[in-house]
Amino acid sequence: MQPARTPRGRPPRPAPTQVQPAGAAHNEDLARRIAEQFGTSPVHAVKAVVYRRPPHDMLGKDGYSLVSNYFTRYVLPYCLMKRIISPLQTAVLSNLIGRQKRGLIAATQAEIAEEIGVGRTSIGLALSALCEKNLLRKVKRSTYQLNPRVAFNGNGEEQQQLLAELRAMQLDTHFPDELAGDLCPFSLGDTA
């Protein structure tokens, strides 16, 4: 007896078998089984290799923040050597980069001062200087926003959304796209 034929004259495909998980318990190659179900002839060799990168092994358990390589390679060293940013301002900036959540920092001056080991009154001056340079923006009392083109904790899509929101605000300081004052030689528009 001849097998039933489809309208084009081909024998019908066999009903797909249930795919079992791959592994020693099932002793089957899952990729091969899937390929056989979609092909008309047997598959002779199918290999599936999955590469997983290990997670970062970082100091501390606070996660990580992405910092612009351009900023850490060119801007910050220049500013330190030319005394455009003081060691205290650098310490405050570093503290804020480590604290940020999607670019925002909620911390009092007293908290920052305690963590870096200085008096609270000097923190206010450092924060003001960082704001003047467009590295930071004061949102409200005890809440600051890092320039997301310098440092950002979050994925690229979140950063692009935040940048669009900030650009729509059309701030007089041109935050986040221009660094102010002595940092003008470092155009952020050229590094995007």
Side-chain angles (χ1 to χ4, degrees), residues 17 29 40 56 58 72 76 80 91 96 102 142 152 182 192:
T17 58
D29 183 346
T40 57
H56 290 87
M58 306 300 285
T72 57
L76 191 57
L80 286 168
L96 297 178
R102 306 298 188 252
S142 300
F152 188 74
D182 296 334

Side-chain angles (χ1 to χ4, degrees), residues 109-170:
Q109 292 180 15
E111 290 170 334
I112 298 168
E114 182 181 332
E115 287 187 5
I116 63 175
V118 298
R120 186 194 67 77
T121 54
S122 57
I123 298 298
L125 295 172
L127 289 168
S128 294
L130 293 170
C131 287
E132 288 173 11
K133 292 173 179 18
N134 264 0
L135 295 171
L136 192 64
R137 174 176 92 88
K138 186 172 185 170
V139 177
K140 60 183 181 179
R141 183 182 171 105
S142 300
T143 304
Y144 292 87
Q145 181 170 49
L146 280 167
N147 186 321
R149 301 206 52 216
V150 170
F152 188 74
N153 180 315
N155 65 40
E157 186 176 301
E158 293 166 328
Q159 184 203 32
Q160 291 300 319
Q161 181 180 1
L162 177 60
L163 286 170
E165 291 169 13
L166 290 169
R167 289 170 178 148
M169 293 168 68
Q170 297 181 345

